Amino acid sequence: IDELQAYSPEHWDKIYYYLKNISELFNTVFIVMSATLPEIDKLKISKSPVFIDFIRLNQNRKGYFNNPNFSERVQFDLSMLSENKKSSLDDIMDRVFQESENYAALNNGQCRTLIEFIFKKAAGEFYEQIYDEAMLKGFEVKVLSGTILEPVRKKLISDLKSETAKEKDSKLILISTQVIEAGVDLDFDIGFKDTSILDSDEQLAGRINRNALKSGSKVFLFNYSDEYRIYGSDYRYKMQKES
């Protein structure tokens, strides 16, 4: 079971109950995976002291987390965040061009940039805002969202992964919604993200420098949309605001 964190915490107890009973009744082993894996076995969903045993397949977690290929693969840049001011589309566009061109100047004129918005409307507005100037600056601009027809979405992802496309689109900006966070095996040089919850921000970072073969890869966080509209009832969002 991949990307378990995609379920709201209010459903984690139900997932725990399902895994426990199915594994016992059918003598089945479940492998649960995620870059931001919740420890649902720590939940106490009943008064019964009997709980399912979760086995950590990786016994040396710190060894992996502290390895430079993981800990130094991507750096977060928070310079666009402000407690009292949201970024405008103009602000975001200027920074996207600035950082993308800086990266391209140091990497043979190539830069693949990913920018994620929380809402499809915001992604569409940004596409309209940036397209003309991007064309003048030599950038290819593409959009990926959950409302794109599945065959078209698969074709777009396949094109983005191909070596021919990487050579053709030496400077690329992909504008996406949160559909990019799970089950999409794409690799970008730098990323921009409208902040939401930490799990989501970390998932976006997983699409940047995936193979740890580059240097200077960053994720720039900005505040544009009101994340409360999606995550207001999410326990993770509430804890994040209280901390």
Side-chain angles (χ1 to χ4, degrees):
I1 302 177
D2 197 9
E3 307 296 2
L4 185 65
Q5 84 294 331
Y7 292 96
S8 172
E10 65 181 336
H11 299 306
W12 288 351
D13 58 340
K14 305 173 185 66
I15 298 170
Y16 175 100
Y17 182 85
Y18 171 83
L19 296 180
K20 177 181 185 299
N21 284 276
I22 293 297
S23 62
E24 291 177 352
L25 291 172
F26 291 92
N27 192 28
T28 300
V29 174
F30 289 92
I31 298 178
V32 184
M33 301 174 293
S34 171
T36 52
L37 185 64
E39 295 184 331
I40 62 173
D41 57 317
K42 300 294 179 62
L43 297 174
K44 299 188 182 300
I45 61 175
S46 71
K47 295 181 180 179
S48 171
V50 180
F51 295 98
I52 186 172
D53 289 329
F54 275 57
I55 299 174
R56 270 60 180 176
L57 297 181
N58 180 6
Q59 300 297 329
N60 184 27
R61 186 177 65 172
K62 288 187 177 180
Y64 286 93
F65 284 171
N66 294 331
N67 187 293
N69 287 330
F70 182 87
S71 61
E72 300 176 14
R73 180 180 57 84
V74 176
Q75 300 297 319
F76 281 90
D77 188 306
L78 310 181
S79 59
M80 296 178 68
L81 293 177
S82 171
E83 293 184 3
N84 302 315
K85 178 180 178 294
K86 291 181 178 293
S87 297
S88 67
L89 290 183
D90 283 333
D91 293 336
I92 299 167
M93 182 178 70
D94 291 343
R95 191 64 181 272
V96 167
F97 282 137
Q98 176 188 338
E99 298 297 339
S100 298
E101 290 177 329
N102 287 345
Y103 187 94
L106 298 174
N107 292 275
N108 300 316
Q110 297 183 339
C111 182
R112 291 164 63 88
T113 302
L114 171 63
I115 177 167
E116 179 194 315
F117 287 89
I118 299 174
F119 295 103
K120 178 177 178 271
K121 180 181 178 182
E125 291 173 346
F126 187 71
Y127 175 80
E128 295 178 0
Q129 180 96 355
I130 201 174
Y131 184 83
D132 289 341
E133 188 169 347
M135 293 296 102
L136 292 175
K137 292 179 178 292
F139 285 87
E140 179 76 14
V141 182
K142 299 183 180 181
V143 178
L144 179 65
S145 73
T147 58
I148 296 176
L149 293 174
E150 185 65 17
V152 178
R153 178 173 171 271
K154 288 183 176 180
K155 177 66 166 54
L156 173 58
I157 293 174
S158 177
D159 289 344
L160 289 170
K161 291 174 68 173
S162 72
E163 292 300 325
T164 301
K166 291 178 182 179
E167 294 175 1
K168 176 184 175 183
D169 303 327
S170 58
K171 293 200 297 184
L172 168 74
I173 297 173
L174 177 67
I175 305 167
S176 179
T177 58
Q178 292 178 297
V179 69
I180 195 72
E181 292 180 14
V184 180
D185 184 18
L186 291 175
D187 184 25
F188 293 85
D189 301 316
I190 60 175
F192 290 79
K193 186 181 183 303
D194 193 0
T195 56
S196 53
I197 58 174
L198 294 178
D199 285 3
S200 178
D201 297 344
E202 185 64 34
Q203 287 289 331
L204 184 279
R207 304 294 171 262
I208 309 301
N209 193 15
R210 285 177 69 82
N211 298 317
L213 298 176
K214 309 164 188 174
S215 61
S217 291
K218 293 183 179 181
V219 171
F220 300 87
L221 298 181
F222 61 88
N223 187 12
Y224 179 72
S225 298
D226 186 1
E227 66 273 15
Y228 179 84
R229 292 166 57 188
I230 295 179
Y231 296 102
S233 61
D234 193 308
Y235 294 119
R236 292 169 293 183
Y237 178 78
K238 293 177 180 178
M239 291 180 64
Q240 188 172 311
K241 286 299 181 181
E242 293 172 358
S243 61

mmCIF file of all heavy atoms in Angstrom, residues 35 73-74 76 114 180-181 184-188 200-211 219:
data_model
loop_
_atom_site.group_PDB
_atom_site.id
_atom_site.type_symbol
_atom_site.label_atom_id
_atom_site.label_comp_id
_atom_site.label_asym_id
_atom_site.label_seq_id
_atom_site.Cartn_x
_atom_site.Cartn_y
_atom_site.Cartn_z
ATOM 1 N N ALA A 35 7.018 8.187 1.847
ATOM 2 C CA ALA A 35 8.134 9.019 2.306
ATOM 3 C C ALA A 35 7.776 9.722 3.609
ATOM 4 O O ALA A 35 8.654 10.127 4.367
ATOM 5 C CB ALA A 35 8.484 10.057 1.237
ATOM 6 N N ARG A 73 20.146 16.247 -0.653
ATOM 7 C CA ARG A 73 19.649 16.136 -2.030
ATOM 8 C C ARG A 73 18.875 17.385 -2.453
ATOM 9 O O ARG A 73 19.002 17.866 -3.574
ATOM 10 C CB ARG A 73 18.744 14.898 -2.127
ATOM 11 C CG ARG A 73 18.141 14.647 -3.494
ATOM 12 C CD ARG A 73 17.272 13.398 -3.450
ATOM 13 N NE ARG A 73 16.224 13.509 -2.447
ATOM 14 C CZ ARG A 73 15.053 14.115 -2.648
ATOM 15 N NH1 ARG A 73 14.792 14.671 -3.809
ATOM 16 N NH2 ARG A 73 14.152 14.160 -1.688
ATOM 17 N N VAL A 74 18.084 17.925 -1.536
ATOM 18 C CA VAL A 74 17.270 19.111 -1.809
ATOM 19 C C VAL A 74 17.336 20.042 -0.604
ATOM 20 O O VAL A 74 17.272 19.585 0.536
ATOM 21 C CB VAL A 74 15.794 18.734 -2.077
ATOM 22 C CG1 VAL A 74 14.944 19.987 -2.252
ATOM 23 C CG2 VAL A 74 15.665 17.851 -3.310
ATOM 24 N N PHE A 76 15.494 23.378 1.216
ATOM 25 C CA PHE A 76 14.295 24.214 1.233
ATOM 26 C C PHE A 76 14.691 25.679 1.385
ATOM 27 O O PHE A 76 15.515 26.026 2.222
ATOM 28 C CB PHE A 76 13.366 23.809 2.384
ATOM 29 C CG PHE A 76 12.544 22.589 2.098
ATOM 30 C CD1 PHE A 76 13.014 21.318 2.411
ATOM 31 C CD2 PHE A 76 11.298 22.706 1.496
ATOM 32 C CE1 PHE A 76 12.261 20.189 2.145
ATOM 33 C CE2 PHE A 76 10.529 21.585 1.223
ATOM 34 C CZ PHE A 76 11.010 20.321 1.552
ATOM 35 N N LEU A 114 9.559 22.703 -11.575
ATOM 36 C CA LEU A 114 8.215 22.258 -11.201
ATOM 37 C C LEU A 114 7.611 23.265 -10.241
ATOM 38 O O LEU A 114 8.262 23.674 -9.281
ATOM 39 C CB LEU A 114 8.289 20.880 -10.528
ATOM 40 C CG LEU A 114 7.005 20.349 -9.883
ATOM 41 C CD1 LEU A 114 5.906 20.148 -10.932
ATOM 42 C CD2 LEU A 114 7.286 19.043 -9.141
ATOM 43 N N ILE A 180 0.742 15.799 -8.594
ATOM 44 C CA ILE A 180 2.154 15.489 -8.796
ATOM 45 C C ILE A 180 2.767 14.800 -7.591
ATOM 46 O O ILE A 180 3.828 14.175 -7.684
ATOM 47 C CB ILE A 180 2.947 16.784 -9.109
ATOM 48 C CG1 ILE A 180 4.345 16.480 -9.699
ATOM 49 C CG2 ILE A 180 3.091 17.649 -7.857
ATOM 50 C CD1 ILE A 180 4.322 15.970 -11.100
ATOM 51 N N GLU A 181 2.093 14.838 -6.440
ATOM 52 C CA GLU A 181 2.704 14.390 -5.190
ATOM 53 C C GLU A 181 2.758 12.875 -5.023
ATOM 54 O O GLU A 181 3.575 12.371 -4.251
ATOM 55 C CB GLU A 181 1.957 14.995 -3.996
ATOM 56 C CG GLU A 181 2.120 16.500 -3.879
ATOM 57 C CD GLU A 181 1.369 17.058 -2.680
ATOM 58 O OE1 GLU A 181 0.956 16.259 -1.817
ATOM 59 O OE2 GLU A 181 1.176 18.287 -2.611
ATOM 60 N N VAL A 184 3.727 9.668 -9.295
ATOM 61 C CA VAL A 184 4.235 10.268 -10.526
ATOM 62 C C VAL A 184 5.757 10.283 -10.450
ATOM 63 O O VAL A 184 6.348 11.046 -9.690
ATOM 64 C CB VAL A 184 3.695 11.706 -10.723
ATOM 65 C CG1 VAL A 184 4.260 12.303 -12.017
ATOM 66 C CG2 VAL A 184 2.170 11.709 -10.761
ATOM 67 N N ASP A 185 6.389 9.443 -11.245
ATOM 68 C CA ASP A 185 7.839 9.278 -11.202
ATOM 69 C C ASP A 185 8.508 10.245 -12.170
ATOM 70 O O ASP A 185 8.945 9.881 -13.249
ATOM 71 C CB ASP A 185 8.202 7.830 -11.538
ATOM 72 C CG ASP A 185 9.701 7.575 -11.419
ATOM 73 O OD1 ASP A 185 10.382 8.391 -10.763
ATOM 74 O OD2 ASP A 185 10.181 6.571 -11.977
ATOM 75 N N LEU A 186 8.571 11.508 -11.775
ATOM 76 C CA LEU A 186 9.210 12.536 -12.586
ATOM 77 C C LEU A 186 10.303 13.216 -11.780
ATOM 78 O O LEU A 186 10.247 13.276 -10.558
ATOM 79 C CB LEU A 186 8.182 13.586 -13.032
ATOM 80 C CG LEU A 186 7.124 13.118 -14.048
ATOM 81 C CD1 LEU A 186 6.100 14.214 -14.298
ATOM 82 C CD2 LEU A 186 7.790 12.710 -15.370
ATOM 83 N N ASP A 187 11.300 13.737 -12.487
ATOM 84 C CA ASP A 187 12.456 14.343 -11.837
ATOM 85 C C ASP A 187 12.650 15.761 -12.361
ATOM 86 O O ASP A 187 12.671 15.983 -13.573
ATOM 87 C CB ASP A 187 13.697 13.496 -12.121
ATOM 88 C CG ASP A 187 14.927 14.022 -11.390
ATOM 89 O OD1 ASP A 187 14.753 14.695 -10.354
ATOM 90 O OD2 ASP A 187 16.047 13.768 -11.856
ATOM 91 N N PHE A 188 12.800 16.721 -11.442
ATOM 92 C CA PHE A 188 13.011 18.113 -11.813
ATOM 93 C C PHE A 188 14.238 18.649 -11.083
ATOM 94 O O PHE A 188 14.706 18.069 -10.106
ATOM 95 C CB PHE A 188 11.779 18.954 -11.463
ATOM 96 C CG PHE A 188 10.575 18.590 -12.287
ATOM 97 C CD1 PHE A 188 9.741 17.544 -11.898
ATOM 98 C CD2 PHE A 188 10.277 19.265 -13.458
ATOM 99 C CE1 PHE A 188 8.650 17.186 -12.659
ATOM 100 C CE2 PHE A 188 9.184 18.914 -14.222
ATOM 101 C CZ PHE A 188 8.367 17.868 -13.817
ATOM 102 N N SER A 200 2.675 17.279 2.651
ATOM 103 C CA SER A 200 2.517 17.639 1.252
ATOM 104 C C SER A 200 3.753 18.346 0.709
ATOM 105 O O SER A 200 4.211 18.071 -0.406
ATOM 106 C CB SER A 200 1.280 18.535 1.083
ATOM 107 O OG SER A 200 1.122 18.952 -0.254
ATOM 108 N N ASP A 201 4.312 19.255 1.501
ATOM 109 C CA ASP A 201 5.520 19.966 1.078
ATOM 110 C C ASP A 201 6.673 18.985 0.856
ATOM 111 O O ASP A 201 7.448 19.108 -0.097
ATOM 112 C CB ASP A 201 5.917 21.010 2.123
ATOM 113 C CG ASP A 201 4.862 22.096 2.292
ATOM 114 O OD1 ASP A 201 3.984 22.223 1.415
ATOM 115 O OD2 ASP A 201 4.910 22.809 3.312
ATOM 116 N N GLU A 202 6.784 18.007 1.743
ATOM 117 C CA GLU A 202 7.856 17.015 1.625
ATOM 118 C C GLU A 202 7.644 16.115 0.407
ATOM 119 O O GLU A 202 8.597 15.708 -0.258
ATOM 120 C CB GLU A 202 7.918 16.165 2.897
ATOM 121 C CG GLU A 202 9.072 15.180 2.931
ATOM 122 C CD GLU A 202 10.427 15.857 2.946
ATOM 123 O OE1 GLU A 202 10.553 16.940 3.550
ATOM 124 O OE2 GLU A 202 11.369 15.301 2.343
ATOM 125 N N GLN A 203 6.381 15.806 0.097
ATOM 126 C CA GLN A 203 6.094 14.981 -1.075
ATOM 127 C C GLN A 203 6.528 15.681 -2.364
ATOM 128 O O GLN A 203 7.064 15.060 -3.274
ATOM 129 C CB GLN A 203 4.598 14.655 -1.134
ATOM 130 C CG GLN A 203 4.120 13.649 -0.100
ATOM 131 C CD GLN A 203 4.614 12.241 -0.379
ATOM 132 O OE1 GLN A 203 4.850 11.861 -1.522
ATOM 133 N NE2 GLN A 203 4.792 11.460 0.670
ATOM 134 N N LEU A 204 6.289 16.986 -2.438
ATOM 135 C CA LEU A 204 6.736 17.741 -3.608
ATOM 136 C C LEU A 204 8.250 17.697 -3.734
ATOM 137 O O LEU A 204 8.795 17.544 -4.836
ATOM 138 C CB LEU A 204 6.241 19.184 -3.505
ATOM 139 C CG LEU A 204 6.497 20.170 -4.658
ATOM 140 C CD1 LEU A 204 7.891 20.770 -4.638
ATOM 141 C CD2 LEU A 204 6.196 19.552 -6.012
ATOM 142 N N ALA A 205 8.948 17.793 -2.606
ATOM 143 C CA ALA A 205 10.413 17.741 -2.628
ATOM 144 C C ALA A 205 10.911 16.415 -3.185
ATOM 145 O O ALA A 205 12.027 16.337 -3.711
ATOM 146 C CB ALA A 205 10.971 17.970 -1.222
ATOM 147 N N GLY A 206 10.080 15.374 -3.081
ATOM 148 C CA GLY A 206 10.456 14.077 -3.630
ATOM 149 C C GLY A 206 10.498 14.032 -5.134
ATOM 150 O O GLY A 206 10.965 13.049 -5.719
ATOM 151 N N ARG A 207 10.038 15.085 -5.789
ATOM 152 C CA ARG A 207 10.082 15.160 -7.255
ATOM 153 C C ARG A 207 11.269 15.995 -7.735
ATOM 154 O O ARG A 207 11.419 16.210 -8.929
ATOM 155 C CB ARG A 207 8.780 15.779 -7.784
ATOM 156 C CG ARG A 207 7.518 15.056 -7.330
ATOM 157 C CD ARG A 207 7.412 13.651 -7.903
ATOM 158 N NE ARG A 207 6.313 12.906 -7.301
ATOM 159 C CZ ARG A 207 6.453 12.039 -6.316
ATOM 160 N NH1 ARG A 207 7.650 11.814 -5.793
ATOM 161 N NH2 ARG A 207 5.409 11.386 -5.829
ATOM 162 N N ILE A 208 12.085 16.439 -6.797
ATOM 163 C CA ILE A 208 13.233 17.272 -7.151
ATOM 164 C C ILE A 208 14.517 16.490 -6.908
ATOM 165 O O ILE A 208 14.731 15.958 -5.819
ATOM 166 C CB ILE A 208 13.249 18.576 -6.308
ATOM 167 C CG1 ILE A 208 11.882 19.283 -6.366
ATOM 168 C CG2 ILE A 208 14.364 19.495 -6.786
ATOM 169 C CD1 ILE A 208 11.432 19.670 -7.754
ATOM 170 N N ASN A 209 15.372 16.416 -7.937
ATOM 171 C CA ASN A 209 16.652 15.710 -7.821
ATOM 172 C C ASN A 209 16.456 14.313 -7.237
ATOM 173 O O ASN A 209 17.129 13.914 -6.282
ATOM 174 C CB ASN A 209 17.630 16.522 -6.959
ATOM 175 C CG ASN A 209 19.055 16.006 -7.045
ATOM 176 O OD1 ASN A 209 19.412 15.231 -7.941
ATOM 177 N ND2 ASN A 209 19.892 16.410 -6.097
ATOM 178 N N ARG A 210 15.552 13.564 -7.816
ATOM 179 C CA ARG A 210 15.152 12.265 -7.260
ATOM 180 C C ARG A 210 16.317 11.285 -7.150
ATOM 181 O O ARG A 210 16.366 10.463 -6.239
ATOM 182 C CB ARG A 210 14.048 11.635 -8.135
ATOM 183 C CG ARG A 210 12.702 12.281 -7.942
ATOM 184 C CD ARG A 210 11.647 11.702 -8.863
ATOM 185 N NE ARG A 210 11.273 10.342 -8.550
ATOM 186 C CZ ARG A 210 10.397 9.978 -7.615
ATOM 187 N NH1 ARG A 210 9.821 10.917 -6.871
ATOM 188 N NH2 ARG A 210 10.082 8.725 -7.416
ATOM 189 N N ASN A 211 17.245 11.365 -8.089
ATOM 190 C CA ASN A 211 18.342 10.406 -8.113
ATOM 191 C C ASN A 211 19.621 10.938 -7.461
ATOM 192 O O ASN A 211 20.663 10.286 -7.520
ATOM 193 C CB ASN A 211 18.640 9.988 -9.555
ATOM 194 C CG ASN A 211 17.451 9.300 -10.203
ATOM 195 O OD1 ASN A 211 16.799 8.469 -9.582
ATOM 196 N ND2 ASN A 211 17.148 9.666 -11.448
ATOM 197 N N VAL A 219 13.867 23.689 -3.238
ATOM 198 C CA VAL A 219 12.412 23.838 -3.261
ATOM 199 C C VAL A 219 12.084 25.167 -2.591
ATOM 200 O O VAL A 219 12.447 25.383 -1.431
ATOM 201 C CB VAL A 219 11.697 22.682 -2.534
ATOM 202 C CG1 VAL A 219 10.203 23.000 -2.384
ATOM 203 C CG2 VAL A 219 11.883 21.384 -3.282
#
